[in-house]
Amino acid sequence: MTIPHSTLRLQFHKGFTFDDAAAQVDYFAALGISHVYASPVTTATSGSTHGYDTVDYTCVNAELGGEDALRRLVDRLRAHGMGLIVDLVPNHMGVGGSENEWWMDILEWGRDAAHAGFFDVDWHSPDPVLCGKVLAPFLGAGYGEELEGGKIKLAYRPDEGRFVVKYYAHAFPVCPVDYPSILRETPWLTDGFVGLSTRPDDQRRAAEARAVLVIRAGSEGGRARIEAALAAHSAGSQDGLERLHRLLERQHFRLAWWRTAADEVNWRRFFDVSTLGGVRVERPEVFEASHALIFRLFTEGLIDGVRIDHVDGLAEPREYCRRLRSRLEGLRKGRPSALRHSSGGTYFVVEKILARGEPLRGDWQVDGTTGYDFMNDVGALLHDAQGAEPLARAWGALSGRSATFAEEALIARRKILSENLTAEHDRVARKLHCIARDALATRDFTFSAVRRVVGELVVQFPVYRMYPVDSVRSAEDERYFSQALAGARAALSPADHFVLDQVAQWLGGSPDAAERSHRPTARRQALAQAQACFSQLTSPVAAKAVEDTACYRYGRLLSRNEVGADPGEFSLSIDEFHRANIERAKSFPNAMLATATHDHKRGEDVRARLAALSEIPDEWADALNDWSALNSALRRQGDNGEWAPGPGPEAMLYQILVGCWPPGLSPDDEAGVKELAERVAQWQLKALRESKLRTSWFAPDENYEKACQDFLFDIISPLRHRGFLRKLHAFVKRIVAAGAINSFQQTVLRLTSPGVPDLYQGTELWDFSLVDPDNRLPVDFDLRRTWLSSVEAKGPPSVQLSNWHDGKVKLAVIRRALALRRQVAPLFAEGEYMPLTVEGENAERVIAFARRLGGTCAVTIATRLALPLLSRDSDTPLVNAARWGNTSVILPAALGPLTFSDWLSESAVKAEGLRLVVGDVLRTMPVALLLAEKESSP
């Protein structure tokens, strides 16, 4: 089987290898998973905890066990009838150390390197110091300071016959052209290097000369000459320092302080991360080289599908996806016969952030996204729309910041563009300025004017990017570009409007823009490059500004500040949720459905609990004001008159404590509270730096950060048991049951909605994790295995509800729902999605839908917005049956008379005509998963 029934995401690293996963395959199978969904398996930077910093696409990561261990894992999976999906990172590679041979090649040989075209380098920088060079912004301080301090050193590798410039763990290769100047007056060591150029033939000569150098330099005299040469290039003397500096100036790289990257980097990065270099996978030779291993593993039957990371970073996502689909489908013929004829095509999904109403393009030929859009839908569904305005007012009053997320996001976009991605902004402007200079009508456009209008279009762009075809924006692109254009026109001076309109045409607005040139072919290429460059700027600006800045500044309700979500969109109605499911079933029925990922900022159950605050906005506002006054004496006063942590960060801190307080944790448990505080402190540091207000990764204010941490530990110290801690714990108890009901709701909706449910490692129990690294901690699979056996033996999930704090009931729900998906697989893969009407006094507090295929029908019913129906003195996540009153789910007449068995409880439910009474259906569990059978004729 190629198309999964369900997936389990695993994060591999040297502490959790393929063999470790293989030992758990029987547990994954027992849980009901059809495919393991692996983080990248290609070789990453040594010690990588995530695998997204690939340094070698050609071999399986040895730290994960290498290819042999991967084969053992696949053998175990196949023995249980399971498959493997792998994550692939085509957009960027790790370039921060010296492990990436492709990157080392271009540092050594420059634009003539065999791999010069593999990376997105601007070899024609307007800065003469960088022209023909690669900026290497890896120094911890200024170049002069590090050089004079002796931290930059010339070194020789005797086993390679190679000179390198060492800087701590970094090693930058010296071009062999310069070996004779290093080994002056030693022709017997350098005769093979004399007269070399950087041409390919000379690069081969250099390799031969190195082999000779290894032998000759290994002699006693050779070693002495090497040592003398190194000493002559040592910063220990003024002559040595100047000699080393001159040598560095002749190299194809320019060593620089890491802070220069934002303004001067001349190669595309992943977002603003200067240790990740953009790969030109749009070039056929790069595509083949970077995918060769994946293609071989697929052909040999070791993998069954791919997940593409950050597809929006690519120059041409549509063309890339279509090419990859074609290659994989073509390779299916070479797979083992047992896998060759599996159902459906090769499974292929992309990581894509979609705005509300933005469709995944149908012509990409993918199976869908990795599920951020579903996570956004189901997350918004948990929120009460009536809480939006009062919570926004409370946040604005308490924090002193804007109550509107869009305003916060626009400020953040400007900041990211002007401070973090200046070099990338300049690069787009230069490409468009060159186009302007190429035509008489626009030759007087200045670089500054072009840069201004490009910047305004970028900050106003409402989605990640556009996807022109043949250099022309589609109707869907135009929908979003026009919004950016209108916003830019309003923000810019009228003097810039003519330039703005022309730039808009160059960015895909006119199909004949190239034909009006005297060099149409060159013009078309220039336009396509400018459009790709523009799109490769709007996407990182959106990601860094919204997800990594504004989401840490805006705190109306942190449950909506999530990857793939718009915090300005507070809630989603039941009808809107149904429409999204219907559209997914129609267009991408095999898309992933996620509620937790390796990138989430708050665990799925943290978000579910915080969503309950939307039902009691006034109570929450009162609690915030009360706690703020109670803890005011513990604030730290700064020299500038500002106090730490500040009103906004303090209010966010209270949300986090409420959201991630573990079920069952007592405020008297000093060890448990301390452990919680240490986890929250990690989140707090990251949140403060990501917000970029009073501290940042770029310029950390350690005094402020320490004051914030001290405040955190003070407010939840044992001395506060009768003060803040008691009030915090009491408030958590107020919403904990509603939060658990929300968790059940999003779990069962994920497991039964159209698509492929994805389970993130460990989240089959309660997931009160925070942002990484907290959400990537080791998972106790042995505990889960033991508990799975226990819950299976004790019957349906309803049996576990009374002890819900331990998480076994969530595990049981997942196990039972996945078992049903396997039992009636065609129903969930192909079945019609039918929204069900709910009537009665609490109709708005129930969501229900059916999946139907032929004579088989499953009905999902879930409690929502439950807080007003719950007793204040009970923390059991279940609405008393009597509180439902006459609330009923109405079945369509087409279903006929049905008898239902509930897979989540022991009850059998019979419809009263075409009516399911909610009080009966949800008597023992807050959610129900009913399998229906047609009643036989008497």
Side-chain angles (χ1 to χ4, degrees):
M1 180 191 64
T2 299
I3 304 300
H5 291 160
S6 55
T7 59
L8 175 69
R9 168 76 181 199
L10 294 177
Q11 288 295 119
F12 287 103
H13 48 81
K14 65 181 180 180
F16 185 76
T17 67
F18 299 136
D19 284 329
D20 294 323
Q24 304 299 335
V25 167
D26 58 339
Y27 163 68
F28 303 152
L31 189 59
I33 298 300
S34 73
H35 287 65
V36 164
Y37 161 34
S39 61
V41 302
T42 48
T43 301
T45 302
S46 296
S48 175
T49 59
H50 48 78
Y52 288 96
D53 45 0
T54 304
V55 295
D56 187 352
Y57 283 117
T58 66
C59 53
V60 176
N61 195 339
E63 287 191 344
L64 309 184
E67 190 167 324
D68 288 344
L70 179 63
R71 290 179 182 277
R72 290 193 291 272
L73 170 59
V74 173
D75 286 344
R76 292 278 292 176
L77 291 170
R78 298 298 184 215
H80 288 80
M82 298 170 67
L84 177 66
I85 297 163
V86 297
D87 205 336
L88 181 62
V89 191
N91 175 67
H92 54 267
M93 296 184 77
V95 298
S98 56
E99 298 176 275
N100 189 329
E101 293 185 3
W102 293 358
W103 184 252
M104 291 297 104
D105 183 38
I106 69 168
L107 295 185
E108 185 172 33
W109 295 105
R111 70 180 79 182
D112 289 329
H115 297 95
F118 280 46
F119 295 93
D120 204 349
V121 179
D122 182 2
W123 296 104
H124 305 285
S125 171
D127 182 350
V129 178
L130 272 180
C131 190
K133 295 178 180 281
V134 174
L135 186 73
F138 304 120
L139 302 182
Y143 170 77
E145 179 182 342
E146 298 297 76
L147 187 67
E148 292 173 358
K151 296 175 182 176
I152 302 173
K153 303 174 182 179
L154 182 65
Y156 174 72
R157 292 178 171 174
D159 57 333
E160 300 176 25
R162 185 188 301 274
F163 284 99
V164 297
V165 175
K166 294 202 68 176
Y167 178 77
Y168 294 105
H170 295 274
F172 304 93
V174 173
C175 183
V177 171
D178 282 306
Y179 284 19
S181 69
I182 295 172
L183 293 165
R184 295 176 301 167
E185 301 175 1
T186 318
W188 59 279
L189 287 178
T190 63
D191 55 358
F193 299 98
V194 174
L196 282 180
S197 71
T198 58
R199 292 192 304 269
D201 287 347
D202 282 355
Q203 292 180 36
R204 287 189 286 273
R205 280 181 53 204
E208 297 168 357
R210 280 203 193 95
V212 174
L213 182 59
V214 168
I215 298 171
R216 293 178 178 177
S219 67
E220 184 175 348
R223 288 194 297 270
R225 292 305 304 158
I226 294 290
E227 290 173 5
L230 298 180
H233 291 80
S234 169
S237 67
Q238 187 61 35
D239 285 346
L241 185 148
E242 292 178 359
R243 194 172 289 115
L244 178 57
H245 170 62
R246 289 195 298 271
L247 175 65
L248 289 170
E249 290 290 271
R250 295 195 297 271
Q251 301 314 300
H252 299 290
F253 56 85
R254 178 196 155 204
L255 291 182
W257 189 15
W258 66 269
R259 288 179 183 245
T260 66
D263 294 325
E264 296 189 344
V265 70
N266 63 333
W267 42 273
R268 182 170 58 85
R269 302 173 290 174
F270 170 70
F271 296 168
D272 60 351
V273 182
S274 298
T275 55
L276 297 175
V279 176
R280 296 196 65 187
V281 75
E282 68 273 16
R283 298 173 67 110
E285 68 274 19
V286 182
F287 177 86
E288 293 298 331
S290 58
H291 291 70
L293 173 66
I294 295 299
F295 291 156
R296 178 172 65 79
L297 297 178
F298 176 75
T299 303
E300 294 179 13
L302 295 180
I303 64 175
D304 302 285
V306 292
R307 177 259 199 200
I308 300 303
D309 178 68
H310 190 49
V311 72
D312 275 339
L314 307 181
E316 301 168 338
R318 173 183 176 271
E319 287 71 15
Y320 169 83
C321 290
R322 291 165 68 94
R323 177 185 292 173
L324 182 56
R325 169 65 75 188
S326 176
R327 291 285 278 115
L328 290 172
E329 292 303 324
L331 291 170
R332 291 182 70 199
K333 300 174 184 176
R335 283 166 66 80
S337 57
L339 302 172
R340 193 179 306 154
H341 303 295
S342 56
S343 61
T346 302
Y347 193 60
F348 171 20
V349 291
V350 293
E351 182 201 36
K352 174 75 182 88
I353 304 298
L354 294 166
R356 174 66 58 206
E358 179 189 8
L360 180 64
R361 307 303 166 93
D363 60 355
W364 285 15
Q365 299 180 1
V366 300
D367 286 296
T369 72
T370 54
Y372 293 128
D373 45 336
F374 179 81
M375 185 163 74
N376 180 30
D377 290 348
V378 75
L381 181 69
L382 304 181
H383 291 71
D384 188 340
Q386 295 184 28
E389 289 305 316
L391 285 171
R393 286 196 303 271
W395 166 252
L398 190 62
S399 68
R401 302 192 65 82
S402 174
T404 304
F405 180 75
E407 294 179 9
E408 199 72 85
L410 189 62
I411 294 170
R413 284 173 179 271
R414 294 191 189 283
K415 181 179 181 66
I416 291 299
L417 187 63
S418 65
E419 297 181 16
N420 295 63
L421 297 169
T422 305
E424 289 81 356
H425 184 186
D426 287 344
R427 188 178 183 186
V428 178
R430 282 198 303 272
K431 287 186 178 296
L432 288 165
H433 188 233
C434 287
I435 291 171
R437 286 286 175 90
D438 190 49
L440 297 178
T442 57
R443 66 179 297 179
D444 288 336
F445 283 11
T446 65
F447 172 79
S448 295
V450 172
R451 190 179 190 278
R452 277 195 302 275
V453 302
V454 166
E456 205 56 50
L457 283 170
V458 169
V459 300
Q460 300 285 347
F461 215 76
V463 293
Y464 262 52
R465 59 171 289 171
M466 60 180 185
Y467 309 95
V469 177
D470 296 329
S471 297
V472 178
R473 295 191 298 268
S474 67
E476 196 60 49
D477 289 330
E478 195 61 44
R479 171 184 166 195
Y480 298 110
F481 193 91
S482 62
Q483 295 178 41
L485 186 61
R489 192 180 306 281
L492 289 167
S493 163
D496 284 330
H497 288 182
F498 180 64
V499 177
L500 174 65
D501 290 338
Q502 185 58 66
V503 166
Q505 291 300 307
W506 291 334
L507 291 175
S510 175
D512 61 345
E515 303 306 325
R516 294 196 298 268
S517 170
H518 64 284
R519 297 184 302 147
T521 300
R523 183 78 161 187
R524 276 194 296 270
Q525 292 175 345
L527 288 169
Q529 290 173 5
Q531 291 165 11
C533 203
F534 177 77
S535 295
Q536 288 174 319
L537 177 58
T538 58
S539 54
V541 167
K544 294 299 296 181
V546 176
E547 295 171 21
D548 293 342
T549 305
C551 278
Y552 287 100
R553 293 181 174 188
Y554 183 77
R556 171 170 64 179
L557 207 52
L558 295 181
S559 46
R560 293 299 295 136
N561 293 23
E562 194 49 79
V563 177
D566 174 7
E569 179 194 63
F570 189 74
S571 62
L572 198 69
S573 71
I574 291 175
D575 287 343
E576 289 169 325
F577 181 80
H578 285 320
R579 282 196 291 271
N581 270 353
I582 291 170
E583 179 57 35
R584 187 181 305 106
K586 174 185 174 183
S587 302
F588 296 100
N590 297 317
M592 280 186 171
L593 308 176
T595 50
T597 76
H598 61 288
D599 279 335
H600 68 233
K601 299 182 184 304
R602 275 155 286 278
E604 62 185 28
D605 299 315
V606 176
R607 299 193 306 272
R609 184 188 293 172
L610 289 177
L613 298 178
S614 67
E615 302 179 62
I616 50 170
D618 294 335
E619 282 187 53
W620 174 238
D622 290 344
L624 283 177
N625 289 321
D626 179 30
W627 298 346
S628 181
L630 182 64
N631 293 325
S632 60
L634 300 176
R635 297 169 179 163
R636 271 52 176 180
Q637 294 296 325
D639 296 334
N640 58 0
E642 291 185 300
W643 54 271
E650 182 180 346
M652 287 187 176
L653 175 61
Y654 295 142
Q655 277 196 61
I656 290 297
L657 288 170
V658 167
C660 73
W661 187 275
L665 177 63
S666 167
D668 298 320
D669 181 352
E670 293 187 13
V673 171
K674 181 181 179 183
E675 179 183 357
L676 173 65
E678 289 170 348
R679 288 178 50 226
V680 172
Q682 280 190 311
W683 163 84
Q684 183 185 54
L685 176 61
K686 182 164 186 170
L688 293 170
R689 289 188 176 181
E690 293 287 6
S691 72
K692 305 170 186 67
L693 291 170
R694 293 174 62 179
T695 187
S696 67
W697 300 107
F698 197 77
D701 184 338
E702 295 181 358
N703 290 332
Y704 169 68
E705 293 168 357
K706 176 66 164 54
C708 292
Q709 179 177 289
D710 290 345
F711 177 81
L712 164 62
F713 279 95
D714 277 355
I715 65 174
I716 62 174
S717 72
L719 298 177
R720 312 295 163 193
H721 282 182
R722 297 187 178 278
F724 171 66
L725 263 187
R726 177 180 59 79
K727 292 190 174 187
L728 172 65
H729 186 248
F731 194 91
V732 170
K733 288 184 67 176
R734 167 78 173 102
I735 65 169
V736 70
I741 289 175
N742 282 342
S743 296
F744 290 127
Q745 177 190 355
Q746 72 177 355
T747 297
V748 76
L749 293 180
R750 170 168 52 94
L751 294 170
T752 59
S753 289
V756 177
D758 175 48
L759 182 69
Y760 181 63
Q761 60 178 28
T763 58
E764 57 269 44
L765 299 183
W766 296 126
D767 175 25
F768 289 97
S769 63
L770 300 173
V771 73
D772 65 277
D774 196 54
N775 65 358
R776 301 178 188 178
L777 295 178
V779 177
D780 188 346
F781 285 114
D782 290 337
L783 172 67
R784 286 160 174 78
R785 178 200 305 272
T786 300
W787 281 11
L788 183 61
S789 299
S790 170
V791 300
E792 285 285 270
K794 292 184 178 178
S798 59
V799 175
Q800 304 288 342
L801 189 64
S802 60
N803 299 313
W804 69 270
H805 291 98
D806 61 17
K808 288 180 184 176
V809 62
K810 184 182 179 186
L811 175 65
V813 167
I814 292 171
R815 169 68 185 102
R816 295 284 285 184
L818 291 179
L820 178 60
R821 287 188 69 99
R822 275 191 174 274
Q823 178 169 311
V824 289
L827 171 68
F828 288 98
E830 307 165 25
E832 178 185 4
Y833 180 88
M834 304 173 63
L836 299 181
T837 301
V838 184
E839 296 180 349
E841 57 193 86
N842 288 302
E844 75 281 5
R845 304 191 186 281
V846 177
I847 180 170
F849 58 82
R851 304 296 304 278
R852 186 182 68 164
L853 183 66
T856 307
C857 176
V859 174
T860 298
I861 301 175
T863 308
R864 65 183 298 267
L865 305 181
L867 199 54
L869 302 182
L870 297 174
S871 171
R872 274 182 170 267
D873 58 358
S874 173
D875 76 344
T876 301
L878 183 68
V879 174
N880 186 287
R883 297 297 302 272
W884 289 114
N886 64 352
T887 308
S888 300
V889 175
I890 309 303
L891 301 175
L895 295 184
L898 297 170
T899 298
F900 295 92
S901 56
D902 187 355
W903 277 61
L904 305 183
S905 73
E906 295 175 314
S907 61
V909 181
K910 185 173 182 179
E912 296 182 0
L914 294 175
R915 184 180 298 269
L916 288 169
V917 178
V918 171
D920 293 337
V921 176
L922 302 182
R923 184 175 297 276
T924 58
M925 279 290 287
V927 291
L929 180 50
L930 310 177
L931 184 64
E933 299 175 357
K934 283 273 187 180
E935 289 187 352
S936 59
S937 300

